[in-house]
C-alpha cells in the first residue's frame, strides 16, 4: 500500500504540473502508469476523481476567464457521449479501439502542429459539438478526454489562462458522470479511496508548481507542447494495445 501511495503521489504531481500549463496531461501521465497496477476501470475512475481536485481549483482561480460561449456546446455533447461510451467500454474490444484512437490522435497532432498557422478553427456550435463528442468517445473508453478537445480549444482560444480555465471546466462537467458510472461498475474500494486522497494532495502541489512555471511560457510554445502531449498520448495508446 505504501509503494502504491508513493507511485500515485509522484505520478499525479508530475501530471498536475503539466496539466496546469497545457490544460491537459494529468490523465495522459496517469494512464501511462496506473494500468500497470490497477484495472482500466479503476485507473480511469481514480484519475478522474483525483483530477477533479485540480480542475476545481483552476475553475475557481480562473472563473472569470472561462469562455462559456465556446465551452457549452463541447460540454453538452461531451457529457452525453462520455456516458454512452463508458457503458459501451465494459464489453467493447478495447485493443482494437485503442489502436484506432491512438492513430487518430497522432494524425491530428501532426496535422495541427505543422499546419496550425495555415488554418483557423472557428469557434461555433457545430465545431464545439463535434469536438466535445469526439472527446467524449476517447474519455468514455479510455479516460483520455483532454487531447481531442485540446486541439480545438488551443486553436480557438489564444489566451493561455482562458484556455486552461475553459478546458478544466469541461473536465468538471464530464468528471461527475464518469465517477458515478465507473463507480457503479465496481471501480472503488476502501484502499482505492485512500490512494485518491493521496492523489488529491499531489494534485494541489503539482497545480501550485505548474502555475508558477507555465506563467513564464509564451502562448505559441504552450500550443506546441499541447500537440506534443497529444502525439505522445496517441503513441502510448497504440503501444499499450499491441
Amino acid at each position: 500500500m505504501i509503494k502504491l501511495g508513493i507511485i500515485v503521489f509522484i505520478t499525479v504531481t508530475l501530471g498536475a504540473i503539466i496539466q496546469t500549463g497545457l490544460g491537459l496531461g494529468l490523465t495522459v501521465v496517469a494512464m501511462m502508469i496506473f494500468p500497470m497496477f490497477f484495472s482500466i476501470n479503476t485507473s480511469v475512475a481514480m484519475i478522474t476523481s483525483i483530477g477533479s481536485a485540480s480542475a476545481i481549483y483552476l475553475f475557481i482561480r480562473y472563473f472569470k476567464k472561462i469562455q462559456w460561449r465556446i465551452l457549452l456546446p463541447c460540454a453538452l455533447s461531451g457529457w452525453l457521449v462520455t456516458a454512452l461510451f463508458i457503458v459501451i467500454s465494459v464489453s467493447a474490444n478495447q485493443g482494437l479501439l485503442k489502436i484506432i484512437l491512438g492513430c487518430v490522435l497522432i494524425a491530428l497532432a501532426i496535422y495541427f502542429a505543422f499546419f496550425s498557422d495555415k488554418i483557423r478553427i472557428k469557434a461555433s456550435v457545430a465545431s464545439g459539438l463535434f469536438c466535445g463528442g469526439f472527446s467524449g468517445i476517447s474519455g468514455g473508453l479510455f479516460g483520455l478526454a483532454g487531447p481531442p478537445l485540446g486541439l480545438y480549444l488551443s486553436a480557438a482560444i489564444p489566451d493561455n489562462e482562458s484556455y486552461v480555465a475553459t478546458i478544466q471546466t469541461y473536465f468538471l462537467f464530464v468528471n461527475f458522470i464518469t465517477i458515478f458510472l465507473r463507480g457503479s461498475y465496481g471501480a472503488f474500494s476502501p484502499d482505492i479511496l485512500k490512494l485518491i486522497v493521496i492523489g488529491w494532495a499531489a494534485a494541489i502541489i503539482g497545480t501550485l508548481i505548474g502555475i508558477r512555471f507555465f506563467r513564464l511560457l509564451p502562448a505559441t510554445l504552450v500550443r506546441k507542447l499541447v500537440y506534443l502531449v497529444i502525439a505522445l498520448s496517441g503513441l502510448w495508446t497504440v503501444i499499450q494495445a499491441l
Side-chain angles (χ1 to χ4, degrees), residues 18-37:
I18 296 172
Q19 176 140 324
T20 300
L22 305 187
L24 54 93
L26 177 56
T27 300
V28 175
V29 173
M31 289 306 289
M32 289 181 180
I33 305 299
F34 283 6
M36 299 179 185
F37 305 95

Side-chain angles (χ1 to χ4, degrees), residues 215-229:
R215 187 179 295 170
L216 304 175
L217 298 180
T220 53
L221 177 58
V222 170
R223 284 195 291 271
K224 290 184 182 299
L225 289 174
V226 169
Y227 303 145
L228 176 61
V229 170

Side-chain angles (χ1 to χ4, degrees), residues 118-141:
K118 300 178 181 179
I119 63 171
R120 292 292 183 270
I121 299 180
K122 184 178 180 180
S124 66
V125 173
S127 58
L129 288 172
F130 174 80
C131 292
F134 187 70
S135 180
I137 295 174
S138 59
L141 292 175

